[in-house]
Amino acid sequence: GAVVSQHPSRVICKSGTSVKIECRSLDFQATTMFWYRQFPKKSLMLMATSNEGSKATYEQGVEKDKFLINHASLTLSTLTVTSAHPEDSSFYICSARDSGTQGNTIYFGEGSWLTVV
Amino acid sequence: SQKIEQNSEALNIQEGKTATLTCNYTNYSPAYLQWYRQDPGRGPVFLLLIRENEKEKRKERLKVTFDTTLKQSLFHITASQPADSATYLCALVNSGNTPLVFGKGTRLSVIA
């Protein structure tokens, strides 16, 4: 099946710094990618929809200046958590839509654990 | 209001039995449904996709049904094994390029 690679898988950063998470579709082109956040034993929470070549669409309550999304190519979207605080510590997961398959199957990355200390 | 519900938060079954998980939705007209498996601390893994004009899909020991009249999808794992223990997520896409809408998941435990 299609592969979505997410990097880094784990990152620890200091409060006030920024951290970038990359999401790559390895064997298909993805005009649309999605970023989620998940707390332990909770559902995936959609943060934003990332469209190649245009601005991301953020869900209500998600600060666009804090969570910067860039989808500069058909295989790469990045999420930058700016001025990170301990409450930003979470599991971040990206997904990518494979428009080449029937039904536009959506595949997920392995997720990135962010710890802000 | 729009809802997508998975019947139970947790389901325990005996090894070798068939596990059946339910996904019901309200006030959606999904173009298709996807089922995923998620293990703790990992991203969801795609299992099956079923479109609105399909009644049933199979893949190895997995079977998904889709009833647009009942607004329900059933996910079956036959001859279940302890390795099948995980959280299973139902997700639907309403149309076009809209994001997946997820249920809360059912945590399946297969007991040897």
Side-chain angles (χ1 to χ4, degrees):
Chain A
V3 178
V4 174
S5 171
Q6 200 171 328
H7 178 81
S9 57
R10 291 183 179 274
V11 58
I12 300 172
C13 71
K14 291 185 177 180
S15 283
T17 62
S18 296
V19 62
K20 182 187 285 187
I21 301 169
E22 292 186 347
C23 179
R24 294 181 185 273
S25 56
L26 295 187
D27 52 359
F28 64 96
Q29 293 184 329
T31 54
T32 307
M33 293 185 174
F34 306 95
W35 287 95
Y36 292 83
R37 184 173 180 175
Q38 188 175 35
F39 293 103
K41 298 187 179 180
K42 297 292 184 184
S43 298
L44 292 155
M45 185 188 81
L46 179 67
M47 297 175 66
T49 301
S50 169
N51 299 298
E52 187 265 337
S54 64
K55 290 184 179 179
T57 304
Y58 289 82
E59 295 300 300
Q60 196 171 10
V62 178
E63 298 176 60
K64 62 180 180 182
D65 294 330
K66 178 158 187 66
F67 298 101
L68 299 178
I69 291 172
N70 186 298
H71 193 157
S73 79
L74 286 171
T75 58
L76 173 64
S77 175
T78 60
L79 168 69
T80 301
V81 182
T82 63
S83 187
H85 289 114
E87 56 265 31
D88 298 325
S89 299
S90 190
F91 188 49
Y92 292 88
I93 316 174
C94 74
S95 65
R97 169 172 272 134
D98 183 355
S99 303
T101 62
Q102 286 188 324
N104 295 316
T105 306
I106 294 174
Y107 298 95
F108 282 82
E110 281 288 341
S112 299
W113 284 100
L114 170 63
T115 303
V116 184
V117 298
Chain B
S1 63
Q2 293 177 317
K3 283 191 294 187
I4 177 168
E5 294 177 308
Q6 293 188 240
N7 61 328
S8 51
E9 193 174 320
L11 179 66
N12 298 327
I13 64 161
Q14 205 73 34
E15 182 177 9
K17 301 289 186 185
T18 296
T20 298
L21 283 63
T22 305
C23 177
N24 294 294
Y25 58 91
T26 308
N27 291 326
Y28 283 108
S29 296
Y32 55 92
L33 270 159
Q34 295 190 209
W35 283 87
Y36 292 85
R37 168 185 174 139
Q38 187 174 26
D39 292 285
R42 310 293 294 273
V45 174
F46 170 71
L47 297 175
L48 281 166
L49 179 152
I50 187 165
R51 286 173 284 167
E52 60 179 335
N53 61 348
E54 296 175 320
K55 298 287 186 189
E56 182 180 298
K57 269 277 184 72
R58 290 175 186 261
K59 178 182 171 183
E60 296 171 355
R61 293 185 295 113
L62 309 180
K63 184 177 86 170
V64 171
T65 63
F66 192 5
D67 189 326
T68 54
T69 303
L70 291 178
K71 298 187 187 298
Q72 180 182 81
S73 175
L74 299 179
F75 177 81
H76 307 272
I77 306 175
T78 57
S80 58
Q81 304 164 0
D84 295 327
S85 299
T87 296
Y88 290 87
L89 301 167
C90 160
L92 60 83
V93 173
N94 232 9
S95 63
N97 272 336
T98 55
L100 287 167
V101 179
F102 279 93
K104 291 189 176 179
T106 296
R107 191 171 64 254
L108 174 69
S109 297
V110 181
I111 302 159

